[in-house]
Amino acid sequence: MSQLLTATCAVPAAGAILTAALPAGTTDARRRTTKSIALGVSALTLGLAAAVAAEFEPGGARFQLTESHSWIRSFGITFSLGVDGIGVVLVLLTAVLVPFVMLASWHDADPPASGQRGPEPGPDGTFENRRRTQGFFALILAVEAMVIVSFLATDVFLFYVFFEAMLIPMYFLIGGFGDRIGGAEAARQRSYAAVKFLLYNLLGGLVMLAAVIGLYVLAQNQGVGTFDLQSLTTAVADGKLTLDPTAERALFLGFFFAFAVKAPLWPLHTWLPNAMGESTPGTAVLITAVVDKVGTFAMLRFCLGLFPAASKFFAPAILVLAVVGIIYGALLAVGQKDIKRLVAYASVSHFGFIIMGIFAMTSQGQSGATLYMVNHGISTALLMLIAGFLISRRGSRLIADYGGVQKVAPVLAGTFLIGGLATLSLPGLGPFVSEFLVLVGTFTRYPALGIIATLGIVLAALYVLVLYQRTMTGPVRPAVRAMPDLRARELLVVAPLVALTVVLGVYPKPLTDLVNPAVAATLSQVHRTDPAPAHPVAITAGGEQK
């Protein structure tokens, strides 16, 4: 039995423990050592994720590299891991982004330099009591480990444990290591955002726990007493596990509610703007580009696989919520005065597209939704991290405090533009491919919703271009006149993300080859096929179209 998946999860977990155990970073040398070790661990994790992708065979079994270790035998709970095409690309996304998050956040847990805005020192006058460097980077590695386990778990209870556990390090990253701009009031806002994030997601998790227990009890009554996902889905498909329609719908809603909170789907999204706005840029990327993807991934793997009839029953209502989220998020992004909150509301809109693609239940829609998870993660990371570099130079998140940046920092402005154009899904960049597939897949089954959703594209162009115009063009404001351009470390963060955005926009085939077999398996579980064309083309015996 291969242990590659276990190693991919264990390395960042062990790295988190090691990093947390390092001596307090009271000197620059100690802090550099801590950061270098954490970065090295994230690079090793990326290598293991690449090995998983290399070992995965798109035409093979759905779940590959499987491992199973007994955990709680009396309840049939195991530490079972396996990866399908959707899991592969999301594990790769996580492993790729974390090193860049660390590099971008290199100084986010350092003591503020003389004259720099930052938190007040602790009671004994030392900064490290409040923001220890090793704690910050250990929490990032802990989040990475828990997210990877969630993408690989093939035991429902194991998935639930890590789905909830990742809230703990994220809570401390938001509340304890939040945005360094502002004083006591900003600290209160960080605390509020962290508590709101935790309460919303804990509520969703508690509802899901009740559904998990209910599923186990019903399955046990029919002789399928296990939490193993493959056994449960096979039993559902073979008719060995039959659920009353009312019970199936109730269980579906229990799972879906938790995933919709984390995704986040309108109207359960309200924690996201607070959390992203009050976090460091790196933490904001972890929230929306990594952690939130667990919610949409779980909709595909658990909601559709375990409850196919209920998924089809609720699909129209969920699609309406997704379309409302697309328009609502984009409209609020247009009116934002805060750069980070604008990106947060744009993400609400983008998650609407992802969920719409999932529940359109077409091959184009679900393939597009999975690609959207990847492309949104990369493009949002690019835009948010560059915005973070911009904000750290000016000391303000307000759009009105900028102007003329392209004249003093042209590389920063240029990369900011690329990130913005990717966000609005410009052809030739990664998000365009996924958004196009989602819209085509939705239109074939729900044409009215597909048409309405296209308004989100128009609004995206509006909020992105207005943001760029107000911050980067026009007269140079006095406060930005001495603003430096991107430094070497920042270019090392930005350049690969720009390259990935362009490559995936021009040549997405490697990802689609991985994703399409898993999408086909998911559609077969819900007994859905792509709609036939309304006007099929007739072919003559000679192969010519009539």
Side-chain angles (χ1 to χ4, degrees), residues 427-471:
L429 300 178
F432 170 76
V433 178
S434 42
E435 196 163 281
F436 178 78
L437 286 173
V438 165
L439 288 170
V440 168
T442 303
F443 185 82
T444 57
R445 179 158 280 144
Y446 302 97
L449 293 177
I451 292 171
I452 296 170
T454 57
L455 180 59
I457 302 174
V458 179
L459 293 172
L462 179 60
Y463 62 70
V464 167
L465 295 178
V466 168
L467 171 65
Y468 183 83
Q469 179 189 42
R470 292 178 178 174
T471 56

Side-chain angles (χ1 to χ4, degrees), residues 497-537:
L497 294 176
V498 170
L500 281 172
T501 300
V502 173
V503 168
L504 292 178
V506 175
Y507 190 65
K509 187 174 184 296
L511 290 188
T512 57
D513 287 345
L514 288 170
V515 164
N516 287 340
V519 166
T522 302
L523 288 174
S524 69
Q525 288 177 322
V526 293
H527 309 293
R528 282 289 200 184
T529 58
D530 290 334
H535 302 287
V537 177

Side-chain angles (χ1 to χ4, degrees), residues 141-363:
L141 288 173
V143 170
E144 180 180 27
M146 293 174 183
V147 169
I148 290 176
V149 173
S150 298
F151 289 142
L152 300 179
T154 55
D155 182 280
V156 177
F157 190 82
L158 175 68
F159 170 83
Y160 170 77
V161 169
F162 284 90
F163 180 82
E164 287 292 274
M166 69 180 70
L167 301 179
I168 299 170
M170 285 308 309
Y171 168 80
F172 288 108
L173 282 171
I174 297 168
F177 298 90
D179 197 315
R180 297 178 66 165
I181 296 172
E185 178 59 30
R188 284 192 291 270
Q189 289 298 321
R190 288 195 297 271
S191 178
Y192 170 78
V195 171
K196 188 174 183 179
F197 162 82
L198 188 64
L199 290 180
Y200 266 66
N201 284 275
L202 277 179
L203 175 61
L206 289 173
V207 173
M208 180 183 171
L209 177 60
V212 168
I213 295 171
L215 174 64
Y216 176 78
V217 170
L218 292 175
Q220 189 178 45
N221 290 340
Q222 299 183 43
V224 193
T226 180
F227 285 98
D228 182 70
L229 177 65
Q230 295 183 74
S231 299
L232 289 170
T233 53
T234 301
V236 169
D238 294 344
K240 296 179 181 178
L241 174 58
T242 57
L243 299 175
D244 175 78
T246 302
E248 181 180 356
R249 291 169 189 175
L251 293 175
F252 170 89
L253 289 176
F255 277 75
F256 179 78
F257 180 78
F259 304 152
V261 171
K262 186 157 286 185
L265 175 65
W266 182 92
L268 304 172
H269 69 284
T270 59
W271 62 267
L272 182 67
N274 295 99
M276 288 183 66
E278 301 304 326
S279 299
T280 65
T283 301
V285 169
L286 285 179
I287 293 170
T288 190
V290 176
V291 171
D292 287 355
K293 297 303 187 300
V294 177
T296 48
F297 162 81
M299 292 178 188
L300 278 166
R301 175 165 287 185
F302 295 97
C303 287
L304 273 62
L306 294 172
F307 315 111
S311 297
K312 290 187 285 187
F313 178 81
F314 287 111
I318 294 170
L319 286 167
V320 170
L321 294 178
V323 172
V324 171
I326 291 170
I327 306 304
Y328 174 87
L331 283 173
L332 287 188
V334 171
Q336 289 304 304
K337 299 178 181 179
D338 182 310
I339 297 174
K340 290 167 72 175
R341 290 180 70 90
L342 185 151
V343 178
Y345 279 110
S347 290
V348 172
S349 181
H350 294 152
F351 274 102
F353 278 108
I354 295 171
I355 296 169
M356 184 174 74
I358 292 170
F359 284 92
M361 296 188 188
T362 60
S363 59

Side-chain angles (χ1 to χ4, degrees), residues 134 155 380 427 480 492:
Q134 71 271 28
D155 182 280
T380 300
V480 304
L492 188 60

Side-chain angles (χ1 to χ4, degrees), residues 374-466:
V374 176
N375 288 318
H376 170 263
I378 295 169
S379 62
T380 300
L382 176 61
L383 184 61
M384 178 58 82
L385 293 179
I386 298 172
F389 298 150
L390 178 70
I391 292 167
S392 68
R393 286 159 163 76
R394 174 66 178 84
S396 173
R397 304 190 328 228
L398 297 179
I399 297 172
D401 288 340
Y402 295 87
V405 173
Q406 67 179 8
K407 296 177 182 176
V408 297
V411 177
L412 189 155
T415 52
F416 189 82
L417 178 61
I418 294 172
L421 293 176
T423 297
L424 64 82
S425 300
L426 183 77
L429 300 178
F432 170 76
V433 178
S434 42
E435 196 163 281
F436 178 78
L437 286 173
V438 165
L439 288 170
V440 168
T442 303
F443 185 82
T444 57
R445 179 158 280 144
Y446 302 97
L449 293 177
I451 292 171
I452 296 170
T454 57
L455 180 59
I457 302 174
V458 179
L459 293 172
L462 179 60
Y463 62 70
V464 167
L465 295 178
V466 168

